[in-house]
Amino acid sequence: MDHSLTPPSLSSIVEKDVAQPEEQELNEALQRSRKYWYSLASLAYAQRDHGLSPDAIDPHYALHKVPKFQARPKKVHYCPLGFSPHLALCLEASSTWKVSASTNCDGLKSEMSRFQLLQLGSADSVPLTLMGEVFSSWIGVITETFSSSNYLGILTLGWCYILSAHLVELRGEGAFMRYTKSMASNSGNPPLDCSSQHSLDIGEVDEAVARWWLAILAPGEGWEAFVTREPQDFLAPWSISRNCETSFSIRHQTRSPKSTSAPLSSQQAFQALAEFSVLHQVGSQFSIALAAALTIPLHKYCGSTAQLPFPSETSKRLTATPDAIPQAWLMLFEELPYYMTLSCNPELMISMFCGSFWDLGIPCNLVTPWLHPALSEVMRDSPISAHDQEILALMCAVRRPNISALWFGAVTSGLGPTIVVRVRSGMPPLNRNACAWTGYPQSFMDVPGSGPYTCESPEYILRSDVWRLLHLPNNTGNDDLRFRFRPATPWKPCGRSLTKDCALRVTSHLECERHVYRYEHWTWELEGNVVLQDYAFLHGISTSKRSSRAYALPSLPAVPVSFEEKKLDVDQKASREASFTIFHWLFINGEGLPPEKIFQDDWIRDTWDQEESVLEAGDADNRESREPDGQFQDRVQSWLDTIP
């Protein structure tokens, strides 16, 4: 087995200018893809057996250019979000992009802004269970020698409270926390409607901390975090409601008495959770639980139930002391506002996860053979098993190491099947800011390409470059809305075009250096007409406290793994969908039917007979946030039109 982890480039396999590959070409693409995915899976199995790199469990690396959350916006808006039937409370912010000075030309706008709505509140809580099987036996880090207890589910519950309490504190007036009447038990008697009970040792704590644990482990909702109560109740996005399949009781020794009337602050709750984690030597589970909690708003967005692993305990423990909390954990709390920004953008989060399967070397007509080994052969079962979800996360952690902790958190919370379904379609959700915030491209449109735009005689240009040049914001003001929105699929168009067949807005740039728009900053509009330009996490961190570097993968012995080779999907749905969408992008922007032969291919030709209906469907399914011109209400309405 070749253990090279360099993704294959499949662009040169189909030599003719056609959309549908021939059988021989499909087989070649499939074999190259198998070689890569099988090697990647071998490394994933090695990590599962030997443990993770310490860097792999640190969510800090994902922050890159993520801005610091601001909870007091000038205006809030009530919008549907994802597949939730209820309105969400959202704030508006925007990203600014500037053309690189070395690639500027008179025909381009020097700067552009793109607006984005971030979730500030939810109309109801996210359903959650402790019946998940993924990482029910946590892998751990190579350097760890701790016990085999698993507290990922319990720790995630605690982090949801901490995130919610911190948001309430940032919101200030009108926002508040409260405990409900629902509580865990101090005794061994489960409620009548619960079939079993689990007792949790929380160590030596004061009464305020004990009351907090009773709320955290309560059936249903043991606490509530109200962001606002006007014009209706909106809860913090990390609010959860636990199904009562098991009741919990706590065991503890009482420290000095303390008032229990007020809910713990985010700092106090963090201290309580960290001391519990030191007591039970949870190690790397502490940060992975934060990553899992960050995916809770994404479950609301996708209409899924969070499923966390049930706690498993051993008798071994240490006594917590105030100075025993690791510095890396303390930094997690210090960086919490950055994690909150990431988490409150579920559209970006799902784009980030699905983008782990995208690669620049894969054209639209070979998406099916590219994805097939990973999703149908390495992933052995349907529906996807817990084992396969763990391997999935480990493979994607290799492909996108800086977001590896978020990947482990996502599958721990039960998002694995949702991500696979979105990727398998060939039409994964896209968000423009995901590349800027995390440092990983999500689409060929995030990559400017290299070298001259044209080659050979007669003169040709790659279609991927044609699409990039069409999307450039021109400075003429004549057709500002044309090609304003990116394609709704990340896969690049196959083949190349004669320059004589290209539109003027393409040919006018053929002699230019490659044009590059770079992310400049994030803009928050806050109360009191304050406009805050946020240059993101890496701009303001103290490098003495944290390293901003990407980490290297550990060198591990290969694990030989064999996979059953399965036949490709006859319909090649992913390739068909990607090819249809990327070529139809020309039509929906008013370009009409180009003269090139490829547009007569069956995969593409049929679309021209259904132009109006397909245009409507394409608009409804475009998952990238759109940024139309005009007044804000017009922009919001256009944004609403993009919600599936």
Side-chain angles (χ1 to χ4, degrees):
M1 180 180 293
D2 184 352
H3 296 284
S4 170
L5 298 178
T6 302
S9 177
L10 307 184
S11 300
S12 62
I13 289 179
V14 180
E15 296 182 354
K16 297 179 181 178
D17 195 29
V18 296
Q20 296 185 62
E22 296 179 357
E23 184 176 358
Q24 180 181 354
E25 294 166 332
L26 282 174
N27 289 334
E28 182 179 352
L30 181 59
Q31 290 308 313
R32 290 191 195 178
S33 299
R34 279 175 173 152
K35 185 177 181 180
Y36 171 74
W37 287 110
Y38 289 1
S39 296
L40 197 64
S42 175
L43 181 56
Y45 275 88
Q47 290 188 86
R48 186 200 61 174
D49 293 347
H50 296 278
L52 302 170
S53 160
D55 288 329
I57 53 87
D58 192 345
H60 156 83
Y61 291 102
L63 295 179
H64 192 56
K65 292 187 178 180
V66 176
K68 187 176 183 179
F69 195 76
Q70 304 294 325
R72 300 188 65 86
K74 181 179 180 180
K75 291 183 179 179
V76 294
H77 307 277
Y78 311 102
C79 311
L81 200 61
F83 290 94
S84 173
H86 304 293
L87 295 180
L89 179 68
C90 297
L91 60 84
E92 180 194 11
S94 62
S95 58
T96 297
W97 304 71
K98 290 186 178 181
V99 68
S100 174
S102 62
T103 66
N104 197 8
C105 76
D106 294 337
L108 293 181
K109 292 181 178 180
S110 61
E111 181 178 301
M112 61 179 178
S113 294
R114 295 292 181 256
F115 96 107
Q116 178 79 52
L117 295 180
L118 302 185
Q119 186 177 11
L120 187 59
S122 177
D124 57 350
S125 56
V126 177
L128 177 147
T129 75
L130 292 175
M131 299 175 63
E133 298 179 355
V134 181
F135 289 132
S136 56
S137 178
W138 174 238
I139 297 173
V141 172
I142 293 174
T143 56
E144 286 181 330
T145 57
F146 295 156
S147 66
S148 59
S149 298
N150 190 321
Y151 291 100
L152 282 170
I154 298 298
L155 297 175
T156 303
L157 301 182
W159 273 115
C160 285
Y161 179 99
I162 295 167
L163 288 161
S164 300
H166 203 59
L167 176 59
V168 165
E169 293 156 7
L170 293 175
R171 282 284 289 168
E173 185 178 356
F176 65 95
M177 298 286 296
R178 74 180 182 191
Y179 294 142
T180 70
K181 294 181 180 179
S182 180
M183 291 187 292
S185 174
N186 265 313
S187 69
N189 298 319
L192 294 177
D193 57 345
C194 291
S195 58
S196 61
Q197 185 179 65
H198 185 85
S199 179
L200 192 70
D201 182 2
I202 63 172
E204 183 179 346
V205 299
D206 59 41
E207 292 180 5
V209 171
R211 178 64 183 89
W212 180 75
W213 277 109
L214 293 177
I216 294 300
L217 300 174
E221 300 173 38
W223 54 270
E224 293 175 319
F226 290 95
V227 176
T228 182
R229 304 206 72 173
E230 295 293 339
Q232 68 177 73
D233 291 348
F234 280 100
L235 303 170
W238 306 278
S239 298
I240 52 177
S241 178
R242 185 178 69 83
N243 294 343
C244 187
E245 68 279 354
T246 299
S247 71
F248 284 90
S249 65
I250 60 173
R251 309 190 310 273
H252 66 97
Q253 297 80 46
T254 302
R255 204 181 286 168
S256 57
K258 193 172 183 179
S259 172
T260 61
S261 59
L264 295 189
S265 68
S266 61
Q267 176 70 62
Q268 292 168 332
F270 170 81
Q271 183 75 19
L273 192 68
E275 289 185 359
F276 171 87
S277 299
V278 171
L279 177 73
H280 291 282
Q281 304 184 79
V282 304
S284 55
Q285 296 177 44
F286 191 76
S287 58
I288 297 302
L290 169 59
L294 296 179
T295 68
I296 292 299
L298 185 50
H299 280 282
K300 174 65 68 175
Y301 182 86
C302 295
S304 57
T305 296
Q307 301 180 58
L308 297 164
F310 193 81
S312 61
E313 300 179 88
T314 63
S315 58
K316 184 180 179 181
R317 73 179 201 180
L318 292 178
T319 301
T321 58
D323 60 349
I325 298 174
Q327 179 64 28
W329 294 5
L330 297 174
M331 291 301 299
L332 292 177
F333 183 79
E334 184 176 324
E335 296 163 357
L336 211 57
Y338 297 99
Y339 294 119
M340 291 167 66
T341 304
L342 195 62
S343 182
C344 286
N345 195 340
E347 182 186 72
L348 183 145
M349 291 281 280
I350 189 66
S351 173
M352 176 185 68
F353 290 127
C354 292
S356 299
F357 291 87
W358 172 84
D359 201 272
L360 183 61
I362 312 303
C364 61
N365 58 347
L366 292 175
V367 176
T368 296
W370 162 247
L371 294 176
H372 177 81
L375 302 184
S376 298
E377 295 177 349
V378 175
M379 302 292 104
R380 309 178 189 212
D381 302 313
S382 183
I384 183 172
S385 66
H387 168 273
D388 285 353
Q389 291 182 61
E390 293 173 7
I391 298 301
L392 170 76
L394 289 162
M395 289 196 302
C396 290
V398 176
R399 285 184 54 80
R400 299 290 188 266
N402 285 2
I403 62 171
S404 59
L406 297 181
W407 257 108
F408 298 138
V411 297
T412 296
S413 75
L415 275 171
T418 297
I419 296 170
V420 168
V421 168
R422 300 294 184 93
V423 171
R424 196 187 297 273
S425 70
M427 291 282 292
L430 292 171
N431 183 278
R432 183 190 186 98
N433 295 316
C435 175
W437 283 15
T438 67
Y440 289 121
Q442 312 290 303
S443 161
F444 77 97
M445 297 294 284
D446 290 328
V447 182
S450 61
Y453 281 118
T454 59
C455 58
E456 299 186 9
S457 180
E459 198 171 50
Y460 284 93
I461 179 173
L462 293 175
R463 287 200 178 93
S464 54
D465 284 333
V466 173
W467 266 239
R468 292 174 181 130
L469 290 172
L470 287 172
H471 179 60
L472 289 175
N474 67 60
N475 210 20
T476 64
N478 295 329
D479 59 348
D480 190 51
L481 291 179
R482 296 182 66 213
F483 299 102
R484 181 172 174 80
F485 310 126
R486 288 179 164 200
T489 186
W491 310 101
K492 65 182 180 182
C494 53
R496 57 188 185 176
S497 298
L498 288 169
T499 56
K500 68 180 182 66
D501 293 330
C502 296
L504 177 62
R505 63 188 297 153
V506 172
T507 57
S508 62
H509 294 287
L510 294 182
E511 301 301 320
C512 297
E513 296 292 327
R514 285 189 175 261
H515 297 307
V516 181
Y517 278 88
R518 302 195 183 281
Y519 179 86
E520 180 72 11
H521 62 261
W522 188 258
T523 300
W524 304 94
E525 294 187 22
L526 308 177
E527 291 178 344
N529 295 319
V530 174
V531 177
L532 177 62
Q533 291 184 349
D534 189 332
Y535 286 85
F537 178 76
L538 286 186
H539 184 79
I541 64 169
S542 169
T543 54
S544 63
K545 292 183 178 180
R546 287 285 210 176
S547 170
S548 60
R549 65 177 175 81
Y551 64 83
L553 288 166
S555 178
L556 296 171
V559 174
V561 186
S562 61
F563 301 99
E564 179 186 354
E565 296 186 357
K566 300 178 182 178
K567 290 185 178 180
L568 278 177
D569 173 18
V570 176
D571 294 332
Q572 295 190 69
K573 181 179 178 181
S575 294
R576 291 176 66 100
E577 288 292 329
S579 299
F580 159 76
T581 303
I582 199 64
F583 280 95
H584 202 71
W585 185 71
L586 292 178
F587 163 71
I588 65 176
N589 284 285
E591 193 67 20
L593 181 63
E596 298 161 88
K597 183 180 178 181
I598 194 171
F599 288 89
Q600 299 304 319
D601 190 284
D602 289 344
W603 279 8
I604 300 170
R605 182 183 61 197
D606 293 344
T607 68
W608 309 107
D609 299 329
Q610 309 172 41
E611 293 176 350
E612 292 184 2
S613 61
V614 169
L615 175 57
E616 294 174 0
D619 284 343
D621 198 46
N622 187 350
R623 296 173 178 83
E624 178 183 9
S625 285
R626 303 191 172 191
E627 311 88 3
D629 292 331
Q631 299 299 314
F632 177 77
Q633 292 302 327
D634 294 332
R635 299 205 304 271
V636 169
Q637 185 56 53
S638 296
W639 177 81
L640 295 178
D641 292 341
T642 72
I643 303 299

